[in-house]
Amino acid sequence: MATGLLLSGTIAAFLTSALPGQHPSDGFVDPPPDKIVIKIATVNGSGCPQGTAAVAVSEDNTAFTVTYSDYLAQAGGDSDPTAFRKNCQLNLIVHVPQGFTYAVAGADYRGFAALQPGAKGTQRASYYFQGSPNTEYRTHPFSGPHHDNWQATDSTEWAQLVWAPCGVQRNFNINTELRVAAGTSAPDKVSFMTMDSTDGDISTVYHLAWKECPKH
């Protein structure tokens, strides 16, 4: 099994190499013309109560977006003691056209953080296919003082992609998490972190890579 997702400051260059028109030796093929279908099988977690998460697939089948409407962790002040950690476990059913397989090549996370001096925040994600013994974790720490948008990117090199088995449907699981710790900040001050973007959309974009299954 591959070593998994690598952290990267930007995903733009990687995505360019994954788009149509590249040399076959790169390992990528044009996204298949038939639409893929991605549906949420189950959603569990304090960061995504029932009815607060949705999935949309891009027109070129190279990405899908998970949108949230209630995903915030906080600590300090009069915060609920259980509010310091929020998570969301997505179990996705992915149907792909015959003869193709896919892997999640990267993920872009965006949010807003208001961390007091001495406070800490963490965004974490894990990725695995149903039935696989391996789970890949990536963690992004943040430190106060911080009062601004935040962004984190997980990306994967071609040789390290973990592909869905050819000819077998395996649900894909993504577990995201936000944590906030008051640390040494003033006890009456609240720190929080949300998976959010500047325009108000609470969304995460997952980028797909495609390849053809071996012909028998």
Side-chain angles (χ1 to χ4, degrees):
M1 184 64 67
T3 55
L5 295 169
L6 297 177
L7 301 185
S8 171
T10 177
I11 199 167
F14 177 80
L15 286 179
T16 300
S17 69
L19 292 176
Q22 301 300 309
H23 192 274
S25 64
D26 293 340
F28 288 96
V29 297
D30 290 354
D34 296 334
K35 290 290 186 182
I36 61 173
V37 178
I38 300 176
K39 298 187 296 183
I40 294 179
T42 58
V43 180
N44 293 294
S46 53
C48 53
Q50 186 174 2
T52 66
V55 173
V57 183
S58 65
E59 291 185 2
D60 63 0
N61 300 326
T62 61
F64 64 94
T65 301
V66 182
T67 301
Y68 306 95
S69 58
D70 185 10
Y71 203 152
L72 180 146
Q74 67 179 54
D78 59 356
S79 301
D80 188 301
T82 64
F84 77 98
R85 176 185 179 272
K86 294 294 178 71
N87 82 298
C88 185
Q89 171 85 26
L90 299 172
N91 181 258
L92 303 174
I93 302 172
V94 183
H95 297 277
V96 299
Q98 182 67 30
F100 286 86
T101 185
Y102 76 98
V104 173
D108 294 329
Y109 298 93
R110 290 181 175 84
F112 184 85
L115 302 175
Q116 301 292 333
K120 304 282 187 184
T122 303
Q123 184 272 324
R124 189 187 197 207
S126 62
Y127 310 83
Y128 65 97
F129 286 102
Q130 180 183 7
S132 170
N134 289 8
T135 301
E136 302 300 337
Y137 297 93
R138 288 297 175 265
T139 302
H140 302 271
F142 300 87
S143 299
H146 182 106
H147 191 89
D148 203 351
N149 300 308
W150 62 267
Q151 179 173 347
T153 297
D154 297 344
S155 66
T156 314
E157 293 181 354
W158 170 257
Q160 295 174 315
L161 288 173
V162 180
W163 297 96
C166 285
V168 179
Q169 178 178 297
R170 292 283 177 83
N171 287 15
F172 189 67
N173 294 275
I174 301 170
N175 190 16
T176 59
E177 177 181 314
L178 294 178
R179 285 178 180 260
V180 175
T184 59
S185 62
D188 61 330
K189 299 294 186 181
V190 175
S191 293
F192 69 87
M193 190 171 180
T194 181
M195 199 168 293
D196 198 338
S197 65
T198 54
D199 60 5
D201 293 329
I202 306 175
S203 60
T204 300
V205 178
Y206 297 91
H207 305 278
L208 301 179
W210 294 88
K211 72 174 180 178
E212 289 184 292
C213 292
K215 291 180 171 61
H216 299 288

